[in-house]
């Protein structure tokens, strides 16, 4: 599978630093400027598949605050799909500025583990996860209709050991089954305890971190991806320092030694929301330059 004609296309995991606007228009939508900055910076850095910047709150509340059946951090009734699309407005703005955009959802298991069950409707989090998947599948369909190139499902909880991965994968697969576009599963952190389970997901792309967790590369070198692509995290999202182009190039080349370059998407380890705007932009710009250097070695 190829998302683009060029080798080693660049993308992002999603989030970007929030740069709030000022003036009268910010009173109507205080985060509209943040979306515009995030999109403009990704385009200026040369990213091939951008996001909307995920600037409207943390990854849990951005979704749970809009789902019927959830109040605050508590589940108080049967979880239902949102009455209106949650992320489509910002995604459509990104699509108006760039032809290829990644839609992003926080995964059902990660959402469930950020919530307390305060209703007899759910006996446990496993039941909640499956209803969250049905609600998110509606949002995923909205994003597909809007024209995103790929949909990413974020499940950082998978690497912690806290989630029932069998149920979590059933939930992810339920979302995938509703879509025609490729779906990417992002799992950050060390993967040694969960990799065999995670690779059972029915997704087209697995996105993992390799800069901050180089052991993941050795781990994946022994696995059969069965034709799926790898989102190759080669920029340390937790480090405020902007890595040099040469450092990132070496990380990408280490990945090429394991994966076919045709199977790789180049991106940061995780979202960049916690970094300064200058650091986030610098990391993306250097990542694009490093990917271009490695690509040139294959395309002449």
């Amino acid at each position: 599978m190829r998302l683009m004609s060029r080798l080693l296309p660049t993308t992002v995991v999603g989030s970007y630093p929030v740069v709030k606007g000022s003036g009268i228009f910010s009173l109507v939508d205080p985060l509209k400027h943040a979306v515009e900055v995030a999109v403009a910076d990704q385009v200026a850095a040369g990213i091939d598949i951008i996001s909307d910047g995920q600037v409207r709150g943390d990854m849990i509340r951005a979704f749970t605050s809009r789902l019927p059946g959830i109040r605050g951090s508590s589940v108080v009734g049967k979880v239902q799909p949102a009455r209106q699309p949650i992320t489509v407005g910002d995604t459509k703005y990104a699509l108006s500025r760039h032809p290829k955009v990644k839609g992003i959802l926080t995964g059902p298991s990660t959402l469930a583990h950020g919530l307390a069950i305060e209703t007899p409707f759910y006996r446990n989090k496993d039941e909640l996860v499956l209803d969250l998947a049905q609600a998110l599948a509606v949002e995923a369909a909205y994003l597909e209709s809007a024209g995103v190139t790929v949909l990413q499902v974020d499940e950082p909880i998978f690497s912690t050991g806290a989630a029932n991965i069998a149920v979590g994968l059933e939930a992810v697969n339920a979302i995938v089954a509703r879509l025609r576009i490729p779906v990417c599963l992002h799992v950050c952190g060390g993967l040694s305890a969960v990799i065999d389970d995670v690779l059972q997901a029915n997704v087209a792309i697995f996105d993992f971190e390799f800069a901050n967790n180089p052991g993941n590369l050795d781990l994946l070198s022994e696995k059969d991806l069965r034709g799926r692509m790898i989102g190759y995290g080669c920029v340390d999202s937790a480090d405020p320092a902007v890595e040099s182009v040469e450092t990132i190039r070496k990380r990408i080349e280490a990945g090429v030694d394991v994966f076919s370059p045709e199977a790789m998407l180049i991106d940061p380890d995780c979202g960049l929301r916690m970094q300064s705007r200058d650091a986030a932009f610098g990391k993306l710009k250097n990542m694009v330059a490093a990917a271009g250097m490695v690509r040139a070695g294959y395309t002449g």
Side-chain angles (χ1 to χ4, degrees), residues 240-252:
V242 176
E243 299 99 321
S244 68
V245 173
E246 181 65 12
T247 294
I248 302 171
R249 180 186 67 80
K250 289 179 179 178
R251 290 174 181 164
I252 295 172

Side-chain angles (χ1 to χ4, degrees), residues 7-135:
L7 283 177
L8 302 170
T10 57
T11 187
V12 291
V13 175
S15 67
Y16 200 75
V18 178
V19 182
K20 291 185 178 180
S22 59
I24 189 168
F25 292 109
S26 69
L27 299 177
V28 178
D29 184 351
L31 292 171
K32 182 175 185 293
H33 181 69
V35 176
E36 293 170 349
V37 168
V39 168
D41 280 6
Q42 290 174 77
V43 173
I47 298 296
D48 293 311
I49 305 172
I50 69 169
S51 78
D52 66 3
Q54 289 186 294
V55 298
R56 297 188 185 272
D58 69 81
M59 67 185 303
I60 303 293
R61 289 281 299 158
F63 290 93
T64 60
S65 64
R66 302 283 297 277
L67 298 178
I70 300 173
R71 184 187 306 132
S73 297
S74 299
V75 182
V76 296
K78 178 175 172 58
V79 172
Q80 303 277 357
R83 296 181 178 90
Q84 298 290 333
I86 299 170
T87 63
V88 171
D90 290 344
T91 300
K92 283 185 174 179
Y93 173 79
L95 282 162
S96 76
R97 296 296 186 270
H98 195 69
K100 291 189 178 293
V101 176
K102 172 187 284 186
I104 302 172
L105 302 177
T106 303
S109 295
T110 298
L111 290 182
H113 282 76
L115 297 167
I117 297 175
E118 296 184 4
T119 172
F121 192 87
Y122 296 107
R123 293 171 297 176
N124 52 53
K125 296 244 171 127
D126 290 348
E127 293 180 347
L128 174 61
V129 164
L130 297 176
D131 271 2
L132 283 165
Q134 295 305 313

Side-chain angles (χ1 to χ4, degrees), residues 11-14 47 186 207-211 231-237 266-272 283-284 287:
T11 187
V12 291
V13 175
I47 298 296
H186 171 70
D207 190 271
F208 302 136
E209 64 175 57
F210 297 96
Y232 187 78
C234 60
V235 170
D236 190 342
S237 302
I266 304 302
D267 61 6
D269 275 351
C270 204
L272 295 168
K283 284 173 178 285
L284 293 183
M287 183 184 77

Side-chain angles (χ1 to χ4, degrees), residues 254-275:
V256 170
D257 286 342
V258 173
F259 311 110
S260 164
E262 288 85 359
M264 293 172 65
L265 280 166
I266 304 302
D267 61 6
D269 275 351
C270 204
L272 295 168
R273 180 185 178 91
M274 302 311 295
Q275 300 302 336

